Amino acid sequence: MVITYQGLECFKLQFGDLTVVTNPPARDSVFKTSKFGADVVLQTVLDEDMAGGEDYSYGDKKPFIINGPGEYETRGVFIRGFPSVSKYHSANDKTDSDEGESINTIYTFQIDGINLCFLGALGSTDLKPETVEGIDTVDILFVPIGGEGVLTAAEAYKLGVKLEAKLIIPMHYEGTNGKIKEEALKTFLKEAGESAAPTDKLTIKKKDLEGKEGDVVVLSKV
């Protein structure tokens, strides 16, 4: 499996001819990605910065879009969605209060024998016991670290440890001006006791996870 980072909370996961995309920005979002097609799109919140799956039809790929809690199966991938809370609002959101909460769906799924958990725009570490139990074994965890409606860097790492993830990939540390929130990433790495250098992509197989315990992988935006 090959994982590349498209910015904010958008990742492209490829295995063979299967392409899974997480929280892709819509056309009206200030965040942009390169043009490509997806087979499966996971959207955790209905916000223009993370719910642009309709735009990811390209060539012979027509995405199966998942928008909320439940159980799904498509293209040989079984996906479970668990409800949680987000306080994230896009720059174009006209909501009067920054404190407004919305449903955020945490997704778990497996590709090539690797258990993945995508936390999306999670705004609280206070997860229901049944959610933690349902998440179960996590090989790779995608966790937001930027604050401002999602977890802070410190909260994010502590949750990663609680979920006993073998690999942790931080996300959501890009500001609306396109610049990296260096302080958030620095704090996250300090919490983890690591100094991981960003890499362009993660190419990984199940056997590569042996002996990993809370290791951090930082992916550069492509």
Side-chain angles (χ1 to χ4, degrees):
M1 177 171 55
V2 179
I3 303 174
T4 53
Y5 184 41
Q6 308 293 314
L8 197 61
E9 296 192 1
C10 184
F11 289 89
K12 182 180 182 182
L13 299 88
Q14 296 172 284
F15 177 64
D17 63 354
L18 173 70
T19 300
V20 177
V21 177
T22 63
N23 278 0
R27 293 177 185 174
D28 292 338
S29 171
V30 297
F31 298 96
K32 306 298 178 185
T33 66
S34 54
K35 181 67 175 177
F36 57 87
D39 298 297
V40 183
V41 172
L42 305 179
Q43 300 180 162
T44 71
V45 290
L46 296 179
D47 183 282
E48 64 185 20
D49 288 345
M50 305 178 195
E54 302 270 345
D55 299 328
Y56 288 76
S57 293
Y58 192 73
D60 60 351
K61 290 188 179 293
K62 307 294 182 185
F64 180 80
I65 300 173
I66 299 176
N67 277 321
E71 295 186 351
Y72 310 85
E73 187 170 5
T74 181
R75 293 295 302 272
V77 181
F78 180 69
I79 301 152
R80 298 183 71 189
F82 303 91
S84 62
V85 170
S86 177
K87 299 177 183 178
Y88 179 77
H89 301 290
S90 68
N92 292 332
D93 195 329
K94 304 305 181 183
T95 304
D96 292 333
S97 173
D98 291 335
E99 300 301 319
E101 294 184 353
S102 59
I103 292 176
N104 175 73
T105 304
I106 295 172
Y107 293 109
T108 61
F109 55 106
Q110 187 182 94
I111 297 177
D112 193 26
I114 298 174
N115 297 315
L116 303 115
C117 179
F118 184 74
L119 296 179
L122 184 64
S124 171
T125 59
D126 187 20
L127 302 180
K128 295 180 179 179
E130 56 266 33
T131 296
V132 176
E133 183 179 353
I135 289 173
D136 197 21
T137 302
V138 180
D139 291 324
I140 301 178
L141 178 71
F142 300 86
V143 60
I145 68 170
E148 297 181 12
V150 301
L151 301 182
T152 65
E155 290 173 331
Y157 184 70
K158 288 176 182 176
L159 183 57
V161 171
K162 178 180 179 180
L163 295 176
E164 300 180 350
K166 294 180 179 178
L167 283 186
I168 303 174
I169 300 179
M171 60 183 180
H172 201 126
Y173 50 88
E174 180 185 8
T176 54
N177 57 5
K179 293 184 178 180
I180 300 301
K181 296 178 181 177
E182 297 286 357
E183 196 58 38
L185 187 55
K186 187 184 300 183
T187 300
F188 183 79
L189 291 174
K190 184 178 179 180
E191 291 284 333
E194 297 196 27
S195 56
T199 184
D200 291 340
K201 63 182 178 180
L202 175 63
T203 303
I204 193 163
K205 295 181 179 180
K206 180 71 173 181
K207 65 179 182 179
D208 299 328
L209 294 163
E210 294 178 4
K212 303 291 186 184
E213 187 176 336
D215 293 26
V216 174
V217 175
V218 179
L219 293 177
S220 303
K221 180 181 176 182
V222 297

